[in-house]
Amino acid sequence: MAKVRWVRAKKPGAAPGALEFVGKQKMMTVRLRLIDYDERGLNEVEMSDVSECFPLKETPTVSWINIDGLHDTDIIAKLGDAFGLHPLLLEDIVNTGQRPKFEDFGDYIFVAMKMLTFDKEDGHVHSEHLSLVLGPHWVISFQERLGDFFEPVRNRIRSGKGRIRKMGPDYLLYCLMDAVVDNYFVTMEAMGERMEALDDELMGDPGTETLQAIHAMKRETIIMRRAVWPLREVVSGLDRSESKLVRKATSIFIRDLYDHTIQVADTVDTYRDVISGMMDLYLSVVSNRMNEVMKVLTIIATIFIPLTFIAGIYGMNFQNMPELGWHYAYYVVWMVIVAVGVAMIIYFRRLKWL
Amino acid sequence: MAKVRWVRAKKPGAAPGALEFVGKQKMMTVRLRLIDYDERGLNEVEMSDVSECFPLKETPTVSWINIDGLHDTDIIAKLGDAFGLHPLLLEDIVNTGQRPKFEDFGDYIFVAMKMLTFDKEDGHVHSEHLSLVLGPHWVISFQERLGDFFEPVRNRIRSGKGRIRKMGPDYLLYCLMDAVVDNYFVTMEAMGERMEALDDELMGDPGTETLQAIHAMKRETIIMRRAVWPLREVVSGLDRSESKLVRKATSIFIRDLYDHTIQVADTVDTYRDVISGMMDLYLSVVSNRMNEVMKVLTIIATIFIPLTFIAGIYGMNFQNMPELGWHYAYYVVWMVIVAVGVAMIIYFRRLKWL
Amino acid sequence: MAKVRWVRAKKPGAAPGALEFVGKQKMMTVRLRLIDYDERGLNEVEMSDVSECFPLKETPTVSWINIDGLHDTDIIAKLGDAFGLHPLLLEDIVNTGQRPKFEDFGDYIFVAMKMLTFDKEDGHVHSEHLSLVLGPHWVISFQERLGDFFEPVRNRIRSGKGRIRKMGPDYLLYCLMDAVVDNYFVTMEAMGERMEALDDELMGDPGTETLQAIHAMKRETIIMRRAVWPLREVVSGLDRSESKLVRKATSIFIRDLYDHTIQVADTVDTYRDVISGMMDLYLSVVSNRMNEVMKVLTIIATIFIPLTFIAGIYGMNFQNMPELGWHYAYYVVWMVIVAVGVAMIIYFRRLKWL
Amino acid sequence: MAKVRWVRAKKPGAAPGALEFVGKQKMMTVRLRLIDYDERGLNEVEMSDVSECFPLKETPTVSWINIDGLHDTDIIAKLGDAFGLHPLLLEDIVNTGQRPKFEDFGDYIFVAMKMLTFDKEDGHVHSEHLSLVLGPHWVISFQERLGDFFEPVRNRIRSGKGRIRKMGPDYLLYCLMDAVVDNYFVTMEAMGERMEALDDELMGDPGTETLQAIHAMKRETIIMRRAVWPLREVVSGLDRSESKLVRKATSIFIRDLYDHTIQVADTVDTYRDVISGMMDLYLSVVSNRMNEVMKVLTIIATIFIPLTFIAGIYGMNFQNMPELGWHYAYYVVWMVIVAVGVAMIIYFRRLKWL
Amino acid sequence: MAKVRWVRAKKPGAAPGALEFVGKQKMMTVRLRLIDYDERGLNEVEMSDVSECFPLKETPTVSWINIDGLHDTDIIAKLGDAFGLHPLLLEDIVNTGQRPKFEDFGDYIFVAMKMLTFDKEDGHVHSEHLSLVLGPHWVISFQERLGDFFEPVRNRIRSGKGRIRKMGPDYLLYCLMDAVVDNYFVTMEAMGERMEALDDELMGDPGTETLQAIHAMKRETIIMRRAVWPLREVVSGLDRSESKLVRKATSIFIRDLYDHTIQVADTVDTYRDVISGMMDLYLSVVSNRMNEVMKVLTIIATIFIPLTFIAGIYGMNFQNMPELGWHYAYYVVWMVIVAVGVAMIIYFRRLKWL
């Protein structure tokens, strides 16, 4: 459940902008990658030191600096210094609990969002904090871990085909955000499959694990929702922003991205609806089953308890019990027993219990 | 449940505007129909190649190009090229998961919506993706499959009576959208009938199938809702749009269409309300029934268990049990048994269980 | 449940403005009444043909044309022609499924609303479609059936006392709408009485019929809600409308009407709240009762089953059962039985079951 | 439940502004009180006839005319005439079902609100209709009954201390409204105490009366809500009003009053939340209890039914039952019985039922 | 539950601005602390009398006056007099039930908010009322009790590092508010931990205490919500305020604070969601358990009741019962008993009860 928390873990009262990494510390080195390109050329470098990219700040080529790993706050602070980023922004970058956010700082634009993966093994949605900063000639992206959804974007840049090399850093920003949102669809798809599986279980013979799985799914949609809903405002903020960093040509793509974001948000809500319907159904199934159990018990008990009583009567040891001596008494008792039993069965049929 | 998903299935990270059909591939040839008309004349053609209609782009007559089948993305790409359609728009056309959408591209207007049919056999609402593009002299409509709700519109064009031949392509766009919304009412009507049938079942003797049917209905209303709610914004977007493609004379019809869209949306919500009321009622009925079952069990057990105990007492084999020797003991025991039984029945009457 | 549907039943795809009556056909002649008045005089006529009122269109006196019966679409079409009404408006008049609506056509104003009656016999709210058209010198009202709530308004016109004869057709429109809204209060009052009766039942001994009656009430409030909620927008549209057809002097009355509409809407929502509270209470009552039933069963069974076991032991026929020969064994067994019984009763008292 | 209705009971269709008292007629004389003051002097009079106050309409002193009793519509009509009040306003004054309302008539301002008292005896919130009219030099207050919350205000006027004598009639209006809202807090406090008492019952041993009391509380919060929520708009209407009747110096007090109104509204909603939580808890408690009952039954039955069966076996009278003759058979049976019983108890311990 | 009330406890009808402390009276002396600083110097004083700080009102240095304890209204009145604070503001300071509030009085700005602590011992959220007044050169903070979250802020002022000494009183106000909001995260974290513990209990073996603990948690989130939700408006009011007291340089920090406030509000809502999910799960678990109990009872009873009946039959004492004399009858009966038992078990396996 920990992920539902997403809280700010800055030492309370510490100065705003104090950099402190709050995610789970990973014992890895930070990976720094740089792709510098324009319509004519491309330069892809694995940087050993973050300062290597500083000269590119003012060159007219588009520079995409990608940082994998947020725990080395020194690197981030240096980069922030060199690119003139506000301390509060840096705080939001290392704070993995930060919710999706758009902020226009004038000289640059800041976007925070979540990368989500649905782990089919454990049925959990895993979330990774992504921060993007768009400047006049550069985009800086900060990720929590190695591995991302951006390889296709890199390949499009490398191949030089299509629009991407001809357009500015704002289009690159859009491409990165679009790649993340595209992956939301993949995540939703995986969750949808799991929901269908649960649905089949529900129609079959659901047990407590089914209920717990449905409950777990509900939690995951809460996480999805927290990642996706604020994103609507982020993208629409980007769309409505009057910053000159976002060129007019990119605007139609951002509107399209907004449309996709709404579609994801919509689907998350539909999932919630469907899941709450599944829980209602589960409860009804359990209730129905209990009813069935009760009916079986009642039928058996109602038939045999009176019969056992009859048998008990003639098991009494009174000396003066005239029936005991009658010759056909035993057969008469059997007939009574059968008659009572049949009457009961007819009665239950009428009640539609049988 | 698959339909609830409606997700974008573009390869994540692929370039925006990359055309890839995501619906279920149908092994049929794409059907291309063209109706070209103005107040004086009409020309209806089954095209063998999409390029046949390109010359009509600039003629002042109204040209309605209808494409049945979205899987042949080449045709769509060619058409898009010839009519200057934006790649993102083409992506939305082939993406059958696209939600209802309105977008004004300046030179043309794009509308995406869903055609819904309620299949009485399987009780499901089937949805088909419809895209409409309105240009200065033309309307292009894209449908997933053969068969549509547009035959009455075609007949009105053919007959030449009424308003349609006298007005522009914007009125044609309205007529197509109106035909789809009219069919929503038909769908709602069919669903309403089914709900009434379920309601009757509920008042009679509902079983687990009833519950599952109610649940299924709820899902279908979720699908309806996803098709209808965004449509409100689509139609109101069209109404408020200041595009010169939508003439003033058409505006009152679009407002009327908006009114109908709201009415459908309203009805969908009422259905949801009614269905959730039905589920509550079902649960109450089950709960009541369990109560009845319990009462029967309790009455029988409560009457006979003490009586059986009495019989058990005198079935004991102690040598010294004075009552066993008394002459009328057996009859006294019977009287006690009857008295206890009658007392119980009076007691249950007081509790209003009988 | 049929009334919950209120759907448009135009033949799908038919030309907009095509007149087709969709209510239940009534085998009666349409009744046409005309009241023509100004401050000095009054002329009340039962018209045999609709064309009789056409000359009054341009006279400065206020003409109120009332049509009872919507099935004769010819009359409505003729009237529409003579008064220059838009075909879409006529469609809304005959479409009894049309929701409450306000539309300003410039030369005239259209208002659609519902007249509601609560039938105490069958416990249903019956709804009748009412359309009102306000022109410069006339008001036309269309009703589904004979009989309305307008007799007091007619009497006020006839008597010539009060404000009504001195003011224009807009005030007449207000008076008609006010008469309808006033009757909503009567309807609410009748529903409220029924709810109180149900509430008393709930506090007494509610059965399944009570539940079904509560459910039925809930449905009726859904119908009320669909008639009343959109009316808020209708009246506020009329209030905010800048049409010169609505004079300033009438404006304060319309605001008052708006206030009443809100009050009805509010009350409907309160009723829904109260009803859903009643359903919760019902379920709790049932649940409590089941608990009582279970307790009785458990007490009886728990006391007598062990006792019967004891009796069963000494009913065994082993040859070597020393207790059987002891002289006071029987009495000891009785003492054990009484002791166990008393212990059980004390135990149940501690559990507060008794 | 009657109070939930609050409906307009004007004869439907009667002319707007027709005065008819709709509350419960009280056989008392209407009490007319007048306080006329300015910074220098004060004149407090019990009027025998309403016309006594008419001359004060134009004097620059502040005149507060208070009417206790709404059933004598003549007095109200006369007063309305003399002070030029609109007939619709008078209708709202005598209509005790009128919801809280603010209306600016230009020359005067009308405010309707509810005075609430929580009767600890019967647990009901009683509501009294209060109408306030603010003119240039006067305030008229209309109450349903004798007795109000305004005595402290009168005392402040009489004592001449504080701000009240120095400020205008708008400040007096504020003071009256503030006194009413202050009493809402008292009402809430009393309800809160009752809720705490119910909460303690819930934690102890709740019965059906507890549930009904919780339900009753919920109804009372519905009444509170209907009185308080519209008041927010009333006060904010007064605040935003650009009437020159409300001086700038009073504005900050009205904002403060608004803040209090929001706080009451907020608290009412919190109460609703808490109450619905209490109902959930009650249901869980009942459910838990049923579980306990079932467990007791099941444990007893499950232990003794098999044992009774064993005893039954050896109570059979077959001639050839070898065990019956074995010397230690009886003891063996006892051992089996004890073993089975102990095994059952161990089993139930494992299930954590014991 | 008392804390849910937060009501205004001013004597109803008392003059607005009348100072009366409504919290729980603490028998302690009020502590008055003053920190006066600018970029060059710092002066920290424990004041014995409130008037010591009056001369600092006009000096250009930033003066932070902190009052711990609200019960001595004289001190607050004196301070209010000296700094020209409005009586209504003072009323809000001593009224510990005041909800979070922002008010711009022109010469100074008033902010009320709640300091929250989650007491892990008793599982309650404790709330303390905090009022902040921002003037041109000073900030006054009023707290209910000794002990606060401001020590880190004081240390930052003392150390002279960072931004705080260089900036104005508006930045100090921000720092204080930020410290409070930071502590909300700590509170949320503590609540989150408790929720996880409860979640683990739920997955294990939840009892009534678990349910009551969940319910208690829900109440605490209601309290959190009432503290946090209005704060959003407070901070956004501060952000949008056009007061010249809030300098532009501080504005970005306030926006950041707003972002954190939203994040807390969001998390509170998520907690509510999760808690209501936990309650549903609890009910399902109880329902499932009851089902299990019922099954055990039904299986045992259904197997043994018929068998006991068979045994009962042959315990009857009729003289003429031919089976009794048959040699193998006893063994046959045993075989029948075993057969019936096995059949029952197979049947229950089919029903998946075993």
Side-chain angles (χ1 to χ4, degrees), chain C residues 291 294-295 298 353, chain D residues 288-298:
Chain C
N291 216 354
M294 290 305 305
K295 269 189 202 165
T298 305
W353 292 10
Chain D
N288 256 320
R289 252 193 228 163
M290 177 116 65
N291 216 354
E292 287 312 305
V293 172
M294 291 305 306
K295 267 188 201 167
V296 169
L297 174 60
T298 305

Side-chain angles (χ1 to χ4, degrees), chain D residues 156 182 189 196 263 294, chain E residues 5 7-8 13 97 294 330:
Chain D
R156 270 150 59 204
D182 270 7
E189 191 77 23
E196 276 168 55
Q263 190 143 337
M294 291 305 306
Chain E
R5 284 197 251 153
V7 290
R8 189 199 195 190
M294 291 305 306
Y330 178 55

Side-chain angles (χ1 to χ4, degrees), chain E residues 181-229:
Chain E
V181 171
D182 270 8
N183 262 286
Y184 288 169
F185 285 103
V186 176
T187 310
M188 301 301 295
E189 191 77 23
M191 288 178 73
E193 267 169 35
R194 194 160 162 72
M195 278 164 65
E196 276 169 55
L198 285 173
D199 210 45
D200 289 348
E201 260 183 62
L202 261 188
M203 290 300 153
D205 181 53
T208 328
E209 344 58 73
T210 316
L211 180 69
Q212 285 176 348
I214 295 172
H215 253 282
M217 278 308 283
K218 199 180 160 196
R219 290 253 173 99
E220 303 307 316
T221 59
I222 293 177
I223 294 169
M224 286 292 303
R225 200 163 198 266
R226 295 194 77 188
V228 172
W229 269 81

Side-chain angles (χ1 to χ4, degrees), chain A residues 1-2 4-17 86-88 91-92 95 97-101 103-105 205 207-208 211-212 215 218-219 222 226 230 272 279 282-283 285-287 289-294 296-297 300-301 304-305 307-308 310-312 314-318 321 323-331 333-334 337, chain E residues 149 152-153 156 163 171 174-175 178-179 181-183 185-186 188-190 192-193 195-196 199 202-203 252-253 255-256 259-260 262-263 266-267 270-271 273-274 276-278 280-285 287-288 290-291 294-295 297-299 301-303 305-306 308-310 312-323 344 347-348 351-353:
Chain A
M1 215 192 70
V4 175
R5 284 197 251 154
W6 275 13
V7 290
R8 189 197 195 191
K10 202 191 75 173
K11 226 172 92 216
H86 196 282
L88 287 175
E91 192 188 319
D92 286 344
N95 179 1
Q98 176 62 42
R99 69 201 290 269
K101 177 176 181 176
E103 185 122 33
D104 184 348
F105 284 82
D205 181 53
T208 329
L211 179 70
Q212 284 176 349
H215 254 282
K218 199 180 161 195
R219 290 255 172 97
I222 292 177
R226 296 194 77 189
R272 285 167 66 95
M279 285 173 60
Y282 176 82
L283 284 178
V285 166
V286 167
S287 183
R289 249 194 228 164
M290 177 117 63
N291 216 353
E292 287 311 306
V293 171
M294 290 306 306
V296 169
L297 174 60
I300 295 292
F304 285 100
I305 287 181
L307 300 184
T308 304
I310 294 173
Y314 295 104
M316 291 193 296
N317 297 321
F318 289 107
M321 281 176 74
E323 300 98 315
L324 294 185
W326 298 348
H327 197 259
Y328 295 106
Y330 177 54
Y331 306 104
V333 164
W334 262 119
I337 283 171
Chain E
F149 307 138
V153 179
R156 270 149 60 203
R163 222 175 268 105
Y171 186 78
Y174 154 75
C175 284
D178 190 49
V181 171
D182 270 8
N183 262 286
F185 285 103
V186 176
M188 301 301 295
E189 191 77 23
E193 267 169 35
M195 278 164 65
E196 276 169 55
D199 210 45
L202 261 188
M203 290 300 153
I252 195 167
F253 292 96
R255 261 205 323 280
D256 194 61
D259 190 59
H260 293 158
I262 286 192
Q263 191 142 338
D266 222 53
T267 308
T270 306
Y271 276 21
D273 248 32
V274 170
S276 94
M278 284 164 79
D280 288 355
L281 190 55
Y282 177 82
L283 284 177
S284 311
V285 165
S287 184
N288 256 320
M290 177 118 64
N291 216 354
M294 291 305 306
K295 268 189 202 167
L297 174 60
T298 305
I299 289 168
T302 310
I303 290 177
I305 287 180
T308 303
F309 165 68
I310 294 172
I313 285 292
Y314 294 104
M316 292 193 296
N317 297 321
F318 290 108
Q319 285 167 15
N320 179 19
M321 282 177 73
E323 299 99 315
M344 284 292 188
Y347 175 66
F348 290 133
L351 291 178
K352 305 223 168 145
W353 292 10

